[in-house]
Amino acid sequence: MSFEINGKPFSQAPRAGQCLRTFLRELGHFGVKKGCDAGDCGACTVLLDGEPVHSCLIPAFRAEGRAVTTIEGLGGDHGAHPMQQAFLAAQGFQCGFCTAGMILTCASLNQAQRTDLGTALKGNICRCTGYRSIEDALLGKSNVDESVARGAAFGRSLPAPAGPDIVRGKARYTFDTELEGLLHIKLLRSPHAHARIVAIDRSDALRVPGVHAVLTHEDAPTVLISTARHEKDWMDPEDTRILDDVVRFIGQKVAAVVAESEAAAEEACRQLKVDYEILPALIDPEKAMVPGAPVIHPDRTTANRVADAQRNLVAETHGEYGDVAAALATSVATFEGTFHSHRVQHAALETHGGLAWVDDAGVLNVRTSTQVPFLTRRALSDIFQLPMDKVRVFCERVGGGFGGKQEMFVEDVLALAALKTGRPVKLELTREEQFIATSTRHPMRVHIKAGADADGKLTALQLDVLSNTGAYGNHAGPVMFHSLSESIAVYNCPNKRVDGFAVYTNTVPSGAFRGYGLPQTLIAIEAAIDELAKQLGISPYEMRRRNIVRPGDSMLSPPPSEFHDVVYGSYGLDQCLDLVERAMRTEGPQPELSPEWLIGDGVALTMIDSAPPAGHLADAMIALNDDGGFDLTVGTAEFGNGTSTVHRQIAATVLATTVDRIRLRQSDTAHGGHDTGAYGSAGMFVAGKATHAAAVQLATELKAAAASAWLCDAASCALEGEAVVSGVRRMSFVELAMLARERSEPLAAHGDSSGTPRSVGFNVQGFRVAVNKGTGELRILKSVQAADAGVVANPMQCRGQVEGGVAQALGAALYEEMAIDTDGRVINAKFRDYHLPSFADVPRTEVFFADTSDTVGPLGAKSMSESPYNPVAAAIGNAIADATGIRFTAPPFKPDRLFPALLEKFGN
């Protein structure tokens, strides 16, 4: 057989039944990505005789005699293709995992197809960008600042350093590498929601050719852990084992098969015989709390950080300021309602997975897709009782995270298999496994009571939250506590009460998800604010202005927190409200809608702390090189959050140089130092402060070295244009490096950050929607978000984070929903049954930034990757209520959910 790939002939024959995607990757074309293996996401797109196809659906033999073009060969021998250049100029990517497929599809479009991008791009999903920058690439727009002076990088729209490699398919993600002697892991998973494993017969599985090991709970350490990763272990319960003899949800791993091929490992999984003792299962969190209900974790105690295992409570909280009941009794306006949020999948296009091996020095190496390499190393060291210097965890580029990779779902199994077999091993979860066996957003039931006086001042706020943590308590307590914190702390109110319960059920575990509990409670709180405003005849904007906290006000939510380090580093919430209200009043193109369409506006706001409580640590190291450039080492991971760009901007600004002179190393525990991880919006706010501290210290060292050579006072020296200057004297960084080498005194510095004090960021979202009262169809006519990000480090990049957050949140508010049947089984565990927003689904969001400068953040900046998600569903809910006069309380707001109430109110 012969194949032409990127203009070159290949004679290798594919295996029987092999798809084109795996064939191309085995030939080293790693730009062809695996996102779904079902033709739903487009990450594997290649050109076949010039036409875009999903290579995961094409049998490899069908490419014989045809021209295959991957992203690596798109430009041929002429360098970058014009579409690759366009994506680079527009920065039409964030994590970049979808970009190769997206570029190939875009490069194939003719002029007619470009007039309907919704249809043309329906086969390519981007989870990060919100699609605006992708459209900009197709329109030939450039979003980057072309010329930036030395020392002026911060605050400019500079491109991501990995951009050229991303658009050419050269950026390396977790599995874009080759290892000699690699074995493959496949996991047998439980078909039962709750059962005890009585016995596992491995004999037939071990007879499958190519199988090296079958690992069960008998082979794994019995230590209890949490898959959640936090700097402080006490934040999460110890209730999980690598492999357990009790399974508590459908999809929990039962055994790991290690074999020469994935096919052999899968066959061995089918040959395993497991004898289960079926146990009672709890699917409904309300029933899980009823006295006498079956107990899911009967052996867990408060010593395992489980609040009350006999009531299936992993965590609870209660507190009150003032007297809510008395305040409600005397309020002029009151509102009471119950709201429900649902399970949402992170749907990062790169699934969880990794590679592990023990090197010649006896170091366990784990290359993985993670947001928290340092915390994962610490966990593996503890579990397997290995010295920390004998464990290395690292990632290159990560294909999306959104909180889902703040977990340890695969690294422990990888380590176990590598240590048991002594061979390099690979474990890559399928898309179905992502749905049934990782984590989701916490479903919550939120009951709210609220009151206000005649002047529109809040008199009472009461929240009762029931959070379904699923079978294990990863992130259960922190998410519940967070959901009850900034959500009501942003409003001044003398009487507040909260009651929160995080409950075990026999369903897929919940975990960290962008927003971390705030979106779930904001739907209820922001609805209450609107309903009170309506009763009092006050505009929703004015109602919020009369009640929001302002500098000097205490940011309070009961019960009292033990952490008192949150300050107003800057305050722009008032500006955000003004910006959104002004933009929503601006008339744009008016759609032609029939009388069946009802139009309404909605607004919602949110506040978020700029880092998690209890400490979030980061180290950074920077050193001057012989060529006058700098090596910057940070621990934080890059997965589209933009930290790689901003860290270089910070260092270049402090050191009076340009970003191309800053060479970045990151997300590898072998580099030294420590970093808690890129979550909780800490990638810039915490790790960026460490970079800033290191750069400032190095600037001091550079001035001191020059002053020593000149025999002058270092205070008279300054950095300017890649040199130290003092009066008419000038010593370039190259000369300083030479001087340091002669003296055997390297010029280097270290910086760290402890994550305290913390500042607060603000976001306000506005929507105008049209709802068809005859069908329930919803259209978004206008979308506006204003953000207080302090000094915006990179306007282009920050705007992209806002747009991407809005797009992802719209998916959850309007389409996405993990469906679980009465047995606890996920029944829509693939993209085609789970509506991820495509190009046609996402409106263009107008983004505005408040004019503030934060006194706590690096160079005045604040975090802005997580918070744009938070107010979206609440604002959509308020807009629908304004349009229809009906308060819908349970997203997603799909037409079939809206239609019955619309029919009841308006008839046919």
Side-chain angles (χ1 to χ4, degrees):
M1 301 182 78
S2 62
F3 298 85
E4 181 186 303
I5 303 173
N6 297 331
K8 298 178 181 179
F10 283 86
S11 59
Q12 287 94 327
R15 297 188 302 276
Q18 186 174 25
C19 73
L20 183 58
R21 181 189 66 80
T22 60
F23 181 58
L24 291 171
R25 286 184 61 83
E26 287 177 4
L27 293 174
H29 300 287
F30 293 125
V32 185
K33 299 293 187 247
K34 173 184 176 180
C36 66
D37 265 347
D40 297 329
C41 74
C44 68
T45 298
V46 300
L47 301 183
L48 195 59
D49 289 339
E51 291 296 318
V53 298
H54 291 169
S55 61
C56 68
L57 298 181
I58 303 293
F61 78 87
R62 292 193 179 277
E64 184 181 15
R66 305 175 70 182
V68 177
T69 304
T70 72
I71 190 68
E72 294 93 339
L74 182 61
D77 297 327
H78 309 291
H81 184 275
M83 188 57 67
Q84 291 170 314
Q85 294 172 337
F87 266 72
L88 199 57
Q91 292 285 282
F93 52 84
Q94 284 182 23
C95 86
F97 198 79
C98 74
T99 304
M102 191 73 73
I103 288 175
L104 286 163
T105 297
C106 290
S108 72
L109 301 181
N110 58 37
Q111 289 302 315
Q113 290 170 316
R114 288 184 179 220
T115 63
D116 184 5
L117 292 178
T119 299
L121 298 181
K122 66 181 180 181
N124 292 83
I125 297 294
C126 176
R127 190 56 161 167
C128 299
T129 64
Y131 298 102
R132 189 269 313 161
S133 61
I134 292 171
E135 183 177 29
D136 285 352
L138 280 159
L139 295 174
K141 292 184 178 180
S142 177
N143 293 322
V144 301
D145 289 338
E146 297 293 343
S147 179
V148 177
R150 295 164 177 165
F154 202 79
R156 303 295 296 274
S157 293
L158 298 184
D165 284 346
I166 289 172
V167 301
R168 290 176 173 86
K170 295 180 179 180
R172 291 294 174 250
Y173 295 80
T174 306
F175 297 108
D176 298 340
T177 187
E178 295 178 346
L179 288 176
E180 290 293 328
L182 186 67
L183 300 179
H184 299 265
I185 303 171
K186 283 294 180 178
L187 299 170
L188 178 69
R189 297 189 178 277
S190 170
H192 306 295
H194 198 191
R196 186 178 309 280
I197 298 172
V198 177
I200 300 178
D201 182 353
R202 349 181 184 197
S203 55
D204 288 346
L206 288 169
R207 281 193 284 268
V208 173
V211 171
H212 284 250
V214 176
L215 304 174
T216 71
H217 63 89
E218 296 173 344
D219 305 290
T222 58
V223 60
L224 286 168
I225 61 172
S226 173
T227 62
R229 298 289 91 218
H230 283 108
E231 181 64 40
K232 309 295 185 184
D233 289 341
W234 55 257
M235 299 184 81
D236 301 289
E238 294 171 334
D239 60 6
T240 307
R241 290 194 172 100
I242 299 176
L243 293 166
D244 206 332
D245 61 348
V246 175
V247 291
R248 297 177 175 88
F249 69 97
I250 295 173
Q252 181 171 331
K253 55 186 180 288
V254 172
V257 175
V258 190
E260 293 285 346
S261 67
E262 289 188 20
E266 287 177 350
E267 177 58 26
C269 283
R270 286 189 285 269
Q271 296 299 324
L272 284 169
K273 297 179 177 64
V274 185
D275 183 11
Y276 294 99
E277 175 194 347
I278 307 302
L279 302 174
L282 293 165
I283 310 304
D284 185 339
E286 301 274 2
K287 294 179 181 178
M289 295 177 64
V290 173
V295 180
I296 295 174
H297 290 274
D299 299 331
R300 307 296 175 254
T301 68
T302 53
N304 304 119
R305 300 188 285 275
V306 175
D308 189 345
Q310 301 311 306
R311 297 167 58 209
N312 292 313
L313 283 181
V314 63
E316 64 178 314
T317 186
H318 309 278
E320 184 170 16
Y321 294 133
D323 188 334
V324 168
L328 287 170
T330 58
S331 295
V332 172
T334 61
F335 173 77
E336 181 174 0
T338 301
F339 294 75
H340 293 87
S341 60
H342 57 298
R343 292 187 185 277
V344 180
Q345 235 293 316
H346 304 82
L349 290 191
E350 181 189 39
T351 62
H352 282 81
L355 304 157
W357 67 95
V358 179
D359 63 23
D360 292 340
V363 175
L364 172 65
N365 290 264
V366 181
R367 174 185 174 128
T368 179
S369 181
T370 182
Q371 296 173 227
V372 284
F374 287 83
L375 299 188
T376 300
R377 175 183 65 166
R378 188 168 70 194
L380 295 178
S381 173
D382 291 343
I383 293 168
F384 295 101
Q385 298 185 347
L386 297 171
M388 289 277 277
D389 63 358
K390 290 298 183 181
V391 183
R392 176 196 181 200
V393 177
F394 69 102
C395 52
E396 292 194 36
R397 196 165 183 92
V398 177
F402 317 116
K405 293 173 182 174
Q406 193 194 336
E407 307 266 5
M408 189 175 66
F409 288 132
V410 296
E411 294 86 353
D412 50 359
V413 175
L414 282 162
L416 177 66
L419 293 169
K420 289 285 187 180
T421 65
R423 294 273 297 273
V425 294
K426 172 186 175 181
L427 172 58
E428 183 177 12
L429 297 193
T430 65
R431 181 55 57 186
E432 180 182 10
E433 287 178 302
Q434 284 293 124
F435 275 92
I436 69 170
T438 59
S439 64
T440 75
R441 188 175 72 167
H442 283 78
M444 290 188 186
R445 182 220 67 201
V446 181
H447 187 77
I448 187 168
K449 295 180 181 179
D453 63 21
D455 295 324
K457 296 289 288 182
L458 289 172
T459 56
L461 277 174
Q462 178 175 337
L463 285 180
D464 182 344
V465 168
L466 175 62
S467 177
N468 182 354
T469 194
Y472 294 94
N474 36 309
H475 298 278
V479 166
M480 180 192 66
F481 298 139
H482 196 236
S483 74
L484 295 167
S485 180
E486 295 103 293
S487 60
I488 58 174
V490 72
Y491 287 112
N492 275 318
C493 180
N495 305 287
K496 295 179 180 178
R497 177 183 174 91
V498 301
D499 294 280
F501 304 88
V503 182
Y504 286 123
T505 59
N506 293 113
T507 58
V508 58
S510 305
F513 194 105
R514 196 175 195 172
Y516 213 69
L518 287 177
Q520 293 96 306
T521 49
L522 285 170
I523 295 175
I525 295 164
E526 293 297 298
I529 300 297
D530 259 33
E531 294 296 333
L532 293 174
K534 198 177 301 179
Q535 293 178 41
L536 296 168
I538 301 172
S539 87
Y541 293 95
E542 181 58 28
M543 185 73 181
R544 288 168 172 80
R545 288 191 184 96
R546 295 182 188 185
N547 291 286
I548 53 175
V549 292
R550 298 178 183 273
D553 294 339
S554 297
M555 295 176 274
L556 297 176
S557 56
S561 173
E562 62 182 287
F563 305 106
H564 305 287
D565 60 338
V566 180
V567 299
Y568 294 99
S570 67
Y571 182 85
L573 180 53
D574 51 352
Q575 293 183 51
C576 290
L577 278 167
D578 292 346
L579 287 165
V580 170
E581 184 176 26
R582 190 179 308 126
M584 291 297 293
R585 286 178 175 172
T586 302
E587 291 295 332
Q590 297 300 309
E592 295 183 5
L593 298 173
S594 63
E596 286 76 26
W597 290 91
L598 308 170
I599 297 176
D601 286 4
V603 64
L605 62 81
T606 182
M607 175 177 75
I608 191 169
D609 296 342
S610 57
H616 196 107
L617 311 178
D619 292 314
M621 292 153 282
I622 191 165
L624 177 66
N625 287 327
D626 289 348
D627 65 356
F630 300 88
D631 279 338
L632 173 62
T633 301
V634 298
T636 187
E638 173 62 65
F639 51 95
N641 48 349
T643 56
S644 297
T645 315
V646 172
H647 282 287
R648 297 203 315 166
Q649 288 181 263
I650 292 170
T653 299
V654 173
L655 295 169
T657 187
T658 53
V659 292
D660 60 294
R661 305 291 285 161
I662 308 292
R663 289 179 285 273
L664 187 65
R665 302 191 308 164
Q666 64 186 127
S667 57
D668 188 338
T669 62
H671 292 162
H674 178 75
D675 191 280
T676 298
Y679 67 86
S681 297
M684 179 178 71
F685 190 83
V686 179
K689 287 179 70 175
T691 290
H692 183 256
V696 168
Q697 180 59 36
L698 182 56
T700 300
E701 299 292 334
L702 295 175
K703 289 183 282 187
S708 174
W710 290 331
L711 301 178
C712 72
D713 186 356
S716 69
C717 298
L719 299 189
E720 181 182 293
E722 298 185 349
V724 177
V725 297
S726 178
V728 297
R729 291 175 292 196
R730 177 184 180 87
M731 185 177 294
S732 72
F733 290 165
V734 172
E735 293 170 316
L736 275 169
M738 187 183 303
L739 178 65
R741 189 170 62 252
E742 290 171 354
R743 294 178 174 180
S744 298
E745 296 175 354
L747 287 166
H750 169 266
D752 58 49
S753 176
S754 63
T756 185
R758 295 175 288 159
S759 187
V760 284
F762 302 97
N763 297 76
V764 177
Q765 174 70 46
F767 283 113
R768 178 166 300 132
V769 304
V771 181
N772 190 305
K773 62 185 178 183
T775 65
E777 181 186 352
L778 183 146
R779 296 182 187 175
I780 297 174
L781 306 181
K782 194 177 186 71
S783 173
V784 179
Q785 187 167 133
D788 174 17
V791 175
V792 180
N794 187 310
M796 168 191 63
Q797 189 171 274
C798 197
R799 177 188 175 192
Q801 290 295 316
V802 174
E803 293 169 335
V806 172
Q808 190 177 37
L810 278 173
L814 300 179
Y815 315 114
E816 299 177 42
E817 182 177 25
M818 283 181 65
I820 294 182
D821 66 17
T822 55
D823 294 325
R825 178 178 289 102
V826 178
I827 59 175
N828 61 336
K830 48 185 178 291
F831 281 164
R832 67 183 52 191
D833 296 329
Y834 180 86
H835 185 163
L836 286 174
S838 64
F839 185 97
D841 296 318
V842 180
R844 297 298 169 259
T845 296
E846 300 174 58
V847 179
F848 301 94
F849 294 112
D851 183 12
T852 66
S853 179
D854 200 80
T855 59
V856 182
L859 297 175
K862 289 194 284 198
S863 51
M864 196 47 61
S865 290
E866 185 169 15
S867 55
Y869 184 104
N870 296 345
V872 170
I876 281 281
N878 284 342
I880 294 171
D882 185 53
T884 65
I886 303 170
R887 174 59 65 182
F888 293 93
T889 59
F893 303 120
K894 301 179 181 180
D896 60 325
R897 304 282 180 85
L898 304 186
F899 176 76
L902 292 168
L903 179 64
E904 182 179 346
K905 180 172 182 176
F906 298 106
N908 289 317

